[in-house]
Amino acid sequence: MSNKQVNFKTKNLLYEFSQIIQNFDKINIKETEPIINDYIFEGDLSIMIDDLVDLIFMKLNEGKDAIIIKQHVFNYLNNHKIILQEIHSWLSNNQNNSNSNYLFGYVNYHGIGTNSDRKKAIELYKKAAELENNVAQLDLIHIYIHGKDNEINYNLAFKLSKKLAEKEIPSAIYSLGYCYFRGIGTVYDTKKAFELYQKAADLGNSNGINNLGWCYYGGIVIKSDDQKAFELFQKAADLENLSGINGLGCCYEKGVGTDINKQKAFELYKKAAELGSNSAQYNLAKMYEIGSGVEKDMDQAVYWYQKSAEQGYKYAQIKVNQLLKK
């Protein structure tokens, strides 16, 4: 192309651009909202909402940790080609039943397609719970037991756990056992707790299986049995239970029910730590600090102590304070 042709073409482009700028204020501009993909119908979305709530309910009863459940939710949305902002937008405009109330709370609580807003989420959980939504009630139990400040309500946690346990819901049976074990909203009763853990475990709840492991490990209610504890931790770990993976790491580190294997312990702690277990993060930090099962690395030790402390793990918080003084 000659220089004259280039200059002519450039002048034309500049002229067209100037016309666009001059007419810009004449363009009718309005705020647009995220829209659902054209090939997804409203009825399909309603079905998907119910499917997602059923999925979360199933995973809670299996004893899956929140971070694992969240990944299952992401996988479901990805498989159905749903953009995260789209599901949030649709839910915000379709609050017409307890499932949509709950799921809108869930996406707000976990920051799916929006910034996390736990206060708003809890209000939505309560709204769904008042409509007898079992999943919302299960999430409220966890919040009432492990929440912060004014979110904690031990009496309501026990009341909801007892109510749902009577419906034979595995996650609630486990939670009721935990309430008796810790004296949450009721009197301490480790025998009752053990029975409920066993019942939840028989129904396939990995939290029940894991806590039974700790009962056998510490000789709580039942005679101490290292081999049984190891088997239960192994079973819970196989079911992706983070506490079970951490417990299995403890067995390999200390030789409980198996031979000592520091390398195996390190690998298990690291797996659970990376998935968010605060106790595993603490145990991993200890191994880095003393060089057990891995080369000594104080930077990594401090990093994992801090991660654990940020999640409220008391022993990690003490350790971080000690290291800061040094």
Side-chain angles (χ1 to χ4, degrees):
M1 186 179 291
S2 69
N3 287 337
K4 285 184 179 181
Q5 288 175 311
V6 171
N7 289 335
F8 178 75
K9 198 159 190 174
T10 301
K11 286 178 181 179
N12 278 344
L13 288 171
L14 289 172
Y15 175 77
E16 289 173 10
F17 183 71
S18 68
Q19 289 298 106
I20 292 171
I21 296 299
Q22 289 172 23
N23 294 321
F24 186 77
D25 61 340
K26 299 177 184 178
I27 299 173
N28 182 22
I29 302 172
K30 61 180 180 180
E31 184 178 352
T32 58
E33 294 181 357
I35 58 173
I36 302 299
N37 292 326
D38 292 339
Y39 54 84
I40 298 174
F41 298 100
E42 292 290 313
D44 293 332
L45 274 169
S46 296
I47 293 170
M48 287 181 186
I49 299 309
D50 292 341
D51 284 348
L52 276 169
V53 174
D54 288 344
L55 174 66
I56 295 169
F57 185 56
M58 179 179 70
K59 296 303 175 184
L60 282 170
N61 283 319
E62 289 175 359
K64 294 290 191 293
D65 294 89
I67 193 167
I68 302 294
I69 296 175
K70 186 177 178 180
Q71 188 57 56
H72 281 289
V73 170
F74 279 139
N75 291 342
Y76 180 96
L77 294 172
N78 288 334
N79 290 339
H80 289 81
K81 297 181 172 62
I82 299 292
I83 298 171
L84 301 184
Q85 289 80 2
E86 291 179 344
I87 195 73
H88 178 270
S89 178
W90 190 87
L91 283 167
S92 68
N93 294 311
N94 291 272
Q95 289 294 287
N96 46 26
N97 58 51
S98 72
N99 275 354
S100 59
N101 295 157
Y102 166 73
L103 197 63
F104 192 39
Y106 183 88
V107 298
N108 275 282
Y109 193 90
H110 295 280
I112 298 174
T114 184
N115 293 325
S116 178
D117 186 343
R118 295 196 171 189
K119 184 177 180 181
K120 180 179 181 180
I122 291 169
E123 290 306 311
L124 287 160
Y125 285 164
K126 288 177 180 177
K127 184 177 179 181
E130 288 170 0
L131 295 171
E132 298 301 322
N133 187 287
N134 291 334
V135 196
Q137 291 174 348
L138 287 175
D139 271 3
L140 283 174
I141 290 169
H142 181 82
I143 290 167
Y144 288 149
I145 292 175
H146 304 288
K148 297 179 181 178
D149 304 321
N150 60 346
E151 294 173 9
I152 292 176
N153 191 323
Y154 289 162
N155 290 332
L156 276 178
F158 177 75
K159 183 179 177 181
L160 281 173
S161 296
K162 193 170 188 298
K163 175 183 174 180
L164 294 180
E166 289 170 356
K167 295 182 180 182
E168 298 293 304
I169 295 174
S171 182
I173 294 169
Y174 159 76
S175 293
L176 185 60
Y178 187 81
C179 286
Y180 278 113
F181 191 83
R182 297 289 183 184
I184 293 171
T186 186
V187 295
Y188 289 95
D189 190 336
T190 52
K191 185 174 183 296
K192 183 72 174 174
F194 182 87
E195 292 170 356
L196 288 162
Y197 288 158
Q198 183 66 68
K199 185 175 181 180
D202 291 342
L203 291 170
N205 183 275
S206 64
N207 285 321
I209 296 168
N210 173 69
N211 281 28
L212 275 182
W214 287 111
C215 287
Y216 279 102
Y217 180 89
I220 301 169
V221 179
I222 199 164
K223 185 180 178 182
S224 178
D225 186 332
D226 288 352
Q227 187 60 44
K228 183 69 173 177
F230 175 80
E231 291 171 1
L232 287 164
F233 288 139
Q234 180 70 69
K235 187 175 181 180
D238 290 342
L239 293 171
E240 297 181 303
N241 187 282
L242 300 191
S243 294
I245 297 170
N246 178 63
L248 190 61
C250 290
C251 289
Y252 278 110
E253 182 184 11
K254 300 175 182 178
V256 176
T258 187
D259 295 332
I260 290 176
N261 187 332
K262 297 293 180 70
Q263 179 60 38
K264 183 70 173 176
F266 171 80
E267 291 169 0
L268 288 162
Y269 288 152
K270 193 170 188 292
K271 180 179 179 180
E274 288 174 344
L275 287 171
S277 168
N278 57 11
S279 53
Q281 289 167 349
Y282 175 80
N283 289 333
L284 181 63
K286 279 200 307 180
M287 297 197 87
Y288 273 119
E289 183 182 11
I290 62 177
S292 177
V294 66
E295 187 177 345
K296 185 174 180 177
D297 188 332
M298 281 306 297
D299 288 338
Q300 281 293 309
V302 170
Y303 172 81
W304 287 110
Y305 278 135
Q306 287 178 330
K307 292 283 284 185
S308 179
E310 287 166 7
Q311 292 200 77
Y313 196 65
K314 181 177 68 175
Y315 298 111
Q317 291 171 340
I318 293 170
K319 190 68 180 180
V320 168
N321 288 332
Q322 291 174 345
L323 291 171
L324 286 173
K325 288 179 181 178
K326 289 182 180 180

